[in-house]
Amino acid sequence: MRSTRIRAFQGAAIAVILGLSQVSSAAVVSFTVDTTGGATGLTPIANTAANIGKYAAGSFLTLSGNISASTNGVTAASTFGVTAGSSGSFSTGNPGSLTSYYAGTLLANVTPTSIAFPGGSSLDASVYTAHYPEVSGAAVFLAPQSGGGASGVPGSDPADYGASITLKTPSLVVAASGNAALRNAVADISQTGGILSQALIGTPGTQTFTTTGNLGVALTDGDLDYNLKGAVILGQTAPNIFGTGSLAGAPIGVSAGGVGTLTTVIVDPIRQIENLMLTVPIMSTFTEEITGSTAITVAITLTGQVAAYATYQVPEPGSIVMLIFGGLALIPLGYRRLRKQYVDQA
């Protein structure tokens, strides 16, 4: 009877230790966002004319979507196009004004078997230069100016994204045309849809995880400036549409990204120091209404990836874990003594 109780206690202690060991191995890791991809082992596309508009390394998000407005009962809409005059130099490559490269910090909660993105990351979009990030270049001024500009006077300023817009009615009549610019964009990645984490598939070293249906991108900062000049329709001039609005805090849609990777390289096995490299595919959509001279509705999709790296030291077991390990080590000794007493009494 006593031996059965001792074995039961021993089994319970082992279960507690395993549970605490799993907790102690979890940690929120602060990753540095890799703009070019060089630090995370990715190969940037060569900066040649043949690769204009292409980029497959580092951290970048491409903006797509549409804008719509209603005036006098008539609704007109437009998809986002590349801003005219922002082609840049073909010799250095040009991703187009609808793509921005990102730097900053990405937070991820990493365990041996799962990864989660708790939010609180700061992914900062770069000002558009019409060059790949490996090539330095001055900011390209994009219309309209900050604040949207006055009616018919768009101006221009540096921006993270630039889009050309041609609002057309359902009968394809042009109602207004001009430009929009997204400035000061800062993004965050977090779990969505009530999903707390995603499983890491494979053994530590090279693991994968899915972002489809469980991650989203939110803008924690970002102003959309727009200035559209009304067209002449049947002899009547449509009103100009201009203004500015914040996209920060807009509801995010669940990502349909794809498969991410986590690569772990042990650089100091004695001190348990690891280099972690992370790639997160992104495709997330949100819709926001902005009130300016005329209310507009903006639907934006951000598509691309975030690559990041970190040096991480595996935490040592906590004092509670060590105490339980010590207690577990004494169990066999106590068991032998109790057994001897039981035999002597018999």
Side-chain angles (χ1 to χ4, degrees), residues 11-191:
I14 292 173
V16 171
I17 289 171
L18 291 176
L20 289 174
S21 297
Q22 180 67 19
V23 172
S24 68
S25 63
V28 176
V29 181
S30 179
F31 288 83
T32 299
V33 177
D34 181 12
T35 300
T36 66
T40 47
L42 301 174
T43 303
I45 287 179
N47 302 318
T48 64
N51 290 325
I52 297 301
K54 299 179 181 178
Y55 194 75
S59 302
F60 65 95
L61 293 176
T62 297
L63 183 149
S64 61
N66 61 76
I67 181 174
S68 60
S70 297
T71 304
N72 298 327
V74 177
T75 298
S78 172
T79 56
F80 294 143
V82 175
T83 300
S86 64
S87 59
S89 171
F90 287 103
S91 64
T92 57
N94 173 35
S97 61
L98 291 175
T99 296
S100 183
Y101 307 114
Y102 282 72
T105 302
L106 174 63
L107 301 181
N109 195 341
V110 182
T111 80
T113 58
S114 68
I115 187 169
F117 298 87
S121 298
S122 180
L123 312 176
D124 190 5
S126 300
V127 171
Y128 178 65
T129 65
H131 293 75
Y132 286 132
E134 297 87 354
V135 181
S136 61
V140 175
F141 279 37
L142 299 175
Q145 67 185 36
S146 297
S151 176
V153 187
S156 62
D157 279 313
D160 303 327
Y161 293 93
S164 63
I165 296 171
T166 302
L167 291 179
K168 295 182 179 180
T169 67
S171 59
L172 301 183
V173 175
V174 175
S177 60
N179 296 283
L182 178 58
R183 297 183 166 95
N184 308 313
V186 180
D188 185 18
I189 297 178
S190 60
Q191 303 293 142

